[in-house]
Amino acid sequence: MPNNILDQIINKRIKDIDEEKKKTSIKSINESIEKNTSYIDFKKKIVDNSQKEKISIIAEVKKASPSAGIIIEDYNPLDIAKIYNKNKATCLSVLTEPNFFHGKMIDIQTIKKEIKLPILCKDFFIDKFQVPWSKSFGADAILIILAGLNDDLAYELYEEALKLNMSVIVEVHTVEEAKKALNFDQALIGINNRNLKTLETEINTTYDIHNVLINHKGPLISESGLKTKDELLEINKKTNIKTFLIGESLLKNLDKNSIFSIL
């Protein structure tokens, strides 16, 4: 039996993707990609903000998580995306993992039809097939979680995304992972304050790791456990990180969230 939540999610995702590959041909995926005109450069939007010394918020669209359970009962991803767009979110992160986060790939397509913001497909990428598959629904970026992958597979996913002109966030939680992440020189690097094996959150993770990544040429992102505008400003002051991926604290107070006033 898997001894942590990340293993459980990945083991289930491997089975799900094997089933999806039986139903969905690469030919049909490529045809969908060719027809899609909604793509936006995810990384460029964040880099442009960073060069102007502006804060970026990647606002997360999700119904549930293993740590929080159901966050929004009456879940409508497009309605959430509209609120984020109105509040000038830089990019969106859309959860598409179905079993633990109650997400669907079609949610990206639904949002993209009405909202002109770059979208990260927030999923557990364990197979190269998922990269074009996510792009066929309108995703502009993928997530590579180093804690859940061997080095060869991580690099295979990265290369496939670059080949498809997609942006990549390489996510790390430890100093060892951060050192490996430096090999992905065209990626954004996300420091996840949440340990995906135990689900515990520690904001100091960003402080502990950012020094290892100081020479990475792309922007760094602080992810998870961020609750207030003051926390973001404090992290920015101490680390010069200007990009933040925020989910739960935005979702629990969608209508009037003071975090957006930082933009």
Side-chain angles (χ1 to χ4, degrees):
M1 277 293 286
N3 61 358
N4 64 61
I5 191 70
L6 182 61
D7 285 349
Q8 291 175 47
I9 295 169
I10 285 174
N11 288 346
K12 184 71 177 80
R13 209 71 191 107
I14 289 167
K15 291 175 186 167
D16 288 347
I17 297 305
D18 281 345
E19 287 304 308
E20 191 60 47
K21 284 162 84 172
K22 292 172 190 170
K23 298 185 291 187
T24 308
S25 71
I26 289 294
K27 182 173 180 286
S28 68
I29 286 172
N30 288 336
E31 285 169 358
S32 295
I33 290 171
E34 281 174 31
K35 285 181 203 162
N36 199 317
T37 58
S38 73
Y39 300 116
I40 308 166
D41 192 327
F42 187 99
K43 180 183 172 183
K44 185 178 186 300
K45 193 151 185 203
I46 290 169
V47 168
D48 287 351
N49 271 0
S50 186
Q51 287 172 346
K52 295 171 192 166
E53 296 294 320
K54 286 172 66 176
I55 296 289
S56 294
I57 288 181
I58 305 167
E60 193 146 89
V61 180
K62 64 183 173 187
K63 178 173 182 173
S65 72
S67 57
I70 300 290
I71 301 165
I72 297 182
E73 286 284 354
D74 188 16
Y75 180 66
N76 184 315
L78 179 58
D79 285 351
I80 295 167
K82 283 178 177 175
I83 291 169
Y84 288 157
N85 191 41
K86 188 173 121 186
N87 282 285
K88 299 183 170 53
T90 313
C91 303
L92 301 177
S93 164
V94 178
L95 254 299
T96 56
E97 192 283 328
N99 302 294
F100 295 81
F101 293 84
H102 300 220
K104 299 187 190 92
M105 197 65 80
I106 196 76
D107 292 344
I108 294 176
Q109 192 175 85
T110 303
I111 292 167
K112 267 288 185 80
K113 280 178 181 170
E114 293 196 39
I115 305 291
K116 303 298 180 239
L117 284 177
I119 292 181
L120 166 71
C121 178
K122 184 83 176 285
D123 207 325
F124 295 79
F125 281 77
I126 45 79
D127 191 303
K128 196 166 80 167
F129 165 87
Q130 287 169 278
V131 184
W133 186 48
S134 67
K135 177 154 182 162
S136 73
F137 284 90
D140 304 294
I142 68 159
L143 182 72
I144 295 176
I145 302 171
L146 291 189
L149 302 168
N150 66 49
D151 296 351
D152 288 345
L153 178 53
Y155 207 76
E156 190 179 303
L157 294 167
Y158 171 71
E159 290 280 288
E160 181 71 5
L162 296 185
K163 191 172 86 181
L164 290 166
N165 293 316
M166 298 179 81
S167 300
V168 177
I169 296 178
V170 171
E171 185 176 283
V172 303
H173 180 73
T174 66
V175 167
E176 293 73 25
E177 289 168 10
K179 287 175 183 172
K180 285 184 185 179
L182 291 170
N183 294 318
F184 301 83
D185 64 339
Q186 293 183 61
L188 302 152
I189 298 179
I191 303 170
N192 196 343
N193 298 309
R194 188 181 305 284
N195 182 328
L196 292 178
K197 297 176 180 179
T198 65
L199 300 183
E200 291 169 0
T201 303
E202 178 51 72
I203 297 293
N204 282 336
T205 304
T206 290
Y207 297 123
D208 294 343
I209 290 176
H210 95 279
N211 282 331
V212 178
L213 299 169
I214 213 105
N215 294 320
H216 180 63
K217 65 183 184 186
L220 305 179
I221 305 166
S222 181
E223 308 172 358
S224 300
L226 303 163
K227 294 184 174 67
T228 67
K229 176 183 167 181
D230 288 343
E231 272 181 332
L232 271 56
L233 290 170
E234 183 75 3
I235 290 171
N236 174 244
K237 182 180 166 187
K238 289 182 178 174
T239 67
N240 204 32
I241 289 173
K242 299 178 184 68
T243 308
F244 302 91
L245 193 153
I246 308 174
E248 206 176 306
S249 57
L250 293 180
L251 290 162
K252 287 182 170 174
N253 186 18
L254 271 170
D255 295 325
K256 40 181 187 286
N257 201 301
S258 64
I259 287 176
F260 282 119
S261 66
I262 202 170
L263 298 175

